[in-house]
Amino acid sequence: MDGIRVALRQSSLRMAEYIGTEENLFDAGLSSFDLINLIMSLEEYYGIEFPQDAMRRENFETISKIHETLAALRGEAAAL
Amino acid sequence: MTGPLQNGAAHNREAAAFRMLLLQAKLMLCAGADDIAGYSAEFEMIVAAVSAMVGRLFAAENPEVMKFPALISRKSLERSRYVEGFPQLAGMVQCFCGDADAHRRMLGCIGEGEDWSGYLEPTNAALTPASCYPVYPLVASRGPVPAQGCLIDVSSYCFRHEPSIDPIRLQMFRQREYVFIGRPGQAVAFLDNWLERTFAALRGCGLEPESDLANDAFFGRFRGMMSTAQRAERLKTEILLPISHPEQRSACGSCNNHKTHFAAAFGIKLENGELAQTVCAGFGLERLALALIRRHGVTVREWPAPVRSALHLPG
């Protein structure tokens, strides 16, 4: 989850270190424009590219959901 | 403020026909390229009339009137986060800053018909994407927003890089907008009030406006996600009228709830220290003028007398 917190920090969300894994990031102040930065930071950190069908706001609502989205994506990549 | 995408062949045919009508009526002037237009005195009279009409909507509330050029600082554009959402529409000013030798080489490049843009360097000036953009850093610099909020009537030329021959999709155009900055309830109430007054004013001009939820033209692969969120939160409503196409409506204005987007970007706070909310609502003046031409014809003196009266146009 460290990479997710790094990406959150880069996306300008303050207090990224202290946000609970189930806490809603948008309620904590993550804006739509922050989400663009978050997605690009995650892609850079993990060396991936989110497919269009994964680019849904609900997939990035909590750290836990981001983790699941990443796991699903990397699982698919490993299976190829 | 951006209109819905209308790339259909039928729309393009109608847009080309409408453009030809405007050129033949000498309302629009071809300025050396199909996607750069100038305007006649008659057209400018209409633009001045619709701008004044927009100005009357909230004149009784005594808004602070501001006019800006088509330029904002590059720093302001960056802080507004426009480039994150709309890089394809943004523009900035580049200038030649070289010495005599570089000048000679650049001229040689132009003489050979080659690309000479490599001789230009970025300046600190960017092109204004919407007339409200210069307002936010200015208001932030004044300190906390007073309890009653603040209302600003702002106008400027704006730039968006979307070349087209459609007369409503200009690269440089004029906007006149109201910006309200205050508490959330005040901001939403202002938008409701603006919609009500706008519909009444447009009906007084013989138009039949409709409104609909809309989204901005976000860039590339983020477009779907951003647009869905914008619509789900009902942040943007467009005023729709037939303009380029006689039977399809296009946006001539919009009202937008930014929530705390600009307040967070520029540090606009209320007296209690919380972030303020900002909204803007306004018109593309050329689009509104074109909607009137579409409805009433290319000759202003032949428009219905009540319409000319509502717009304070000569009888």
Side-chain angles (χ1 to χ4, degrees):
Chain A
M1 302 244 183
D2 284 352
I4 298 174
R5 290 192 189 276
V6 169
L8 279 170
R9 215 166 31 241
Q10 289 172 345
S11 69
S12 81
L13 184 65
R14 291 174 193 166
M15 313 292 285
E17 288 84 351
Y18 308 106
I19 287 176
T21 54
E22 300 299 333
E23 196 174 339
N24 188 301
L25 297 172
F26 298 108
D27 292 344
L30 191 80
S31 72
S32 296
F33 283 82
D34 293 334
L35 180 55
I36 293 177
N37 283 328
L38 172 63
I39 289 171
M40 291 196 291
S41 295
L42 288 167
E43 289 180 337
E44 190 173 334
Y45 189 91
Y46 290 103
I48 54 159
E49 183 170 320
F50 289 102
Q52 202 62 44
D53 63 358
M55 302 264 276
R56 293 200 304 270
R57 191 177 158 100
E58 57 266 31
N59 284 342
F60 302 92
E61 262 177 4
T62 64
I63 288 176
S64 175
K65 282 192 177 168
I66 296 172
H67 185 68
E68 285 171 25
T69 304
L70 283 167
L73 188 59
R74 295 162 100 192
E76 283 172 18
L80 289 174
Chain B
M1 191 180 72
T2 51
L5 289 176
Q6 293 168 318
N7 293 323
H11 182 89
N12 289 343
R13 274 197 303 278
E14 291 292 347
F18 190 47
R19 179 173 183 274
M20 188 56 67
L21 177 74
L22 296 166
L23 288 169
Q24 286 171 345
K26 295 188 168 50
L27 289 169
M28 197 168 99
L29 311 169
C30 188
D34 285 345
D35 54 0
I36 301 174
Y39 299 100
S40 68
E42 177 113 339
F43 188 88
E44 286 301 299
M45 179 176 69
I46 305 170
V47 168
V50 298
S51 177
M53 184 196 77
V54 174
R56 287 192 292 275
L57 288 175
F58 282 85
E61 279 81 355
N62 198 25
E64 182 177 354
V65 176
M66 299 183 185
K67 291 180 188 291
F68 291 98
L71 297 174
I72 58 171
S73 75
R74 181 163 53 145
K75 192 76 187 165
S76 286
L77 188 73
E78 290 166 1
R79 287 183 68 182
S80 74
R81 312 187 72 173
Y82 189 79
V83 184
E84 287 164 48
F86 313 98
Q88 80 284 17
L89 300 177
M92 61 179 296
V93 178
Q94 293 190 313
C95 286
F96 176 75
C97 305
D99 57 14
D101 187 46
H103 183 216
R104 191 180 311 110
R105 282 186 276 118
M106 181 174 73
L107 291 179
C109 207
I110 293 171
E112 294 296 321
E114 294 171 359
D115 178 15
W116 54 283
S117 57
Y119 290 93
L120 304 178
E121 294 177 25
T123 67
N124 288 326
L127 298 170
T128 305
S131 62
C132 61
Y133 274 59
V135 169
Y136 308 114
L138 178 62
V139 171
S141 72
R142 292 175 171 175
V145 175
Q148 73 274 21
C150 58
L151 179 61
I152 292 150
D153 167 354
V154 61
S155 46
S156 77
Y157 268 94
C158 305
F159 172 85
R160 290 184 195 156
H161 183 239
E162 45 183 0
S164 166
I165 63 159
D166 188 340
I168 68 166
R169 199 161 292 285
L170 301 163
Q171 294 196 82
M172 192 158 273
F173 54 94
R174 283 162 280 191
Q175 278 187 345
R176 185 162 183 172
E177 293 191 286
Y178 288 100
V179 176
F180 182 86
I181 303 176
R183 288 180 277 114
Q186 293 173 315
V188 171
F190 171 78
L191 290 182
D192 290 343
N193 203 354
W194 181 85
L195 268 172
E196 190 177 322
R197 293 188 196 185
T198 289
F199 266 63
L202 295 180
R203 286 179 180 136
C205 297
L207 301 171
E208 295 167 5
E210 291 180 2
S211 65
D212 200 4
L213 277 182
N215 57 267
D216 288 309
F218 293 100
F219 176 65
R221 65 198 185 103
F222 297 106
R223 172 177 286 176
M225 183 180 68
M226 297 291 279
S227 301
T228 301
Q230 194 178 23
R231 282 175 177 269
E233 291 191 72
R234 308 177 71 84
L235 299 180
K236 184 180 191 73
T237 300
E238 287 182 335
I239 307 296
L240 303 166
L241 289 166
I243 315 180
S244 286
H245 193 298
E247 288 155 17
Q248 289 177 6
R249 289 169 181 267
S250 302
C252 68
S254 70
C255 56
N256 303 274
N257 186 346
H258 316 125
K259 295 190 144 181
T260 56
H261 173 82
F262 287 109
F266 293 100
I268 306 173
K269 294 192 173 166
L270 302 169
E271 287 173 335
N272 65 6
E274 290 179 5
L275 287 175
Q277 299 235 348
T278 70
V279 296
C280 74
F283 287 98
L285 297 182
E286 288 88 351
R287 283 196 182 195
L288 189 47
L290 290 167
L292 285 161
I293 292 166
R294 166 63 77 189
R295 177 71 182 86
H296 301 302
V298 295
T299 309
V300 173
R301 66 177 178 279
E302 293 175 2
W303 289 6
V307 173
R308 281 185 279 120
S309 173
L311 287 163
H312 298 199
L313 285 164

